[in-house]
Amino acid sequence: MKISYVATDLEFDSTSDLSLIVAELRTNISVNRNDRIGDVYYVTAGLGHCDTGAEEAVALYCTILEKLSDQAKTLWRQCTRRVLDVAFTSGTEPKYETYQLPEELVRRVADLGISIAITVYRAGFYSDAS
């Protein structure tokens, strides 16, 4: 089984109501989770289509977030957690695989106050192959 990129999700939490951000994001991406547990609002969003790679997905999220309204940007800055979770599935080939985000893109992510998480799923998690 080949090592491969799976998807990138956007996750963010806040003690403030995030419905304005969710409404603005829904015009461009799929909101998979929009819950309130106790005093914390949790949102997880995905692109809703098959992006070709981590760089493309991260750049698209940055573009979408950079276009939020001023009021939504204020709520965004109040979030207690902002993460882009880049997911890969492991495999036996090739021997290794390197993915790199360009410096300029990493700056955009940092300017938005987002951290980057890397999730590696075991071989076969997303397919019948083991």
Side-chain angles (χ1 to χ4, degrees), residues 9-40:
D9 290 329
L10 173 65
E11 303 169 357
F12 53 102
D13 312 336
S14 180
T15 55
S16 299
D17 183 354
L18 297 170
S19 58
L20 177 62
I21 297 174
V22 169
E24 290 187 26
L25 291 178
R26 279 199 169 130
T27 62
N28 295 293
I29 58 180
S30 300
V31 175
N32 305 320
R33 178 184 185 195
N34 183 14
D35 296 325
R36 179 179 176 190
I37 300 173
D39 292 335
V40 180

Side-chain angles (χ1 to χ4, degrees), residues 12-14 16-22 68-80 82:
F12 53 102
D13 312 336
S14 180
S16 299
D17 183 354
L18 297 170
S19 58
L20 177 62
I21 297 174
V22 169
L68 289 174
S69 68
D70 289 343
Q71 190 176 7
K73 284 179 183 177
T74 298
L75 286 171
W76 176 257
R77 287 189 294 273
Q78 293 171 358
C79 288
T80 54
R82 296 175 296 268

Side-chain angles (χ1 to χ4, degrees), residues 45 56 69 77 92 110 114 117:
E56 174 192 357
S69 68
R77 287 189 294 273
T92 56
I114 304 173

Side-chain angles (χ1 to χ4, degrees), residues 111-125:
D111 288 346
L112 288 163
I114 304 173
S115 62
I116 297 175
I118 307 295
T119 300
V120 180
Y121 292 96
R122 66 172 169 77
F125 185 80

Side-chain angles (χ1 to χ4, degrees), residues 54-56 58 99-109:
E55 182 179 345
E56 174 192 357
V58 171
Y99 297 88
Q100 181 175 334
L101 297 178
E103 181 180 344
E104 181 179 314
L105 183 54
V106 173
R107 276 196 188 96
R108 288 176 69 194
V109 170

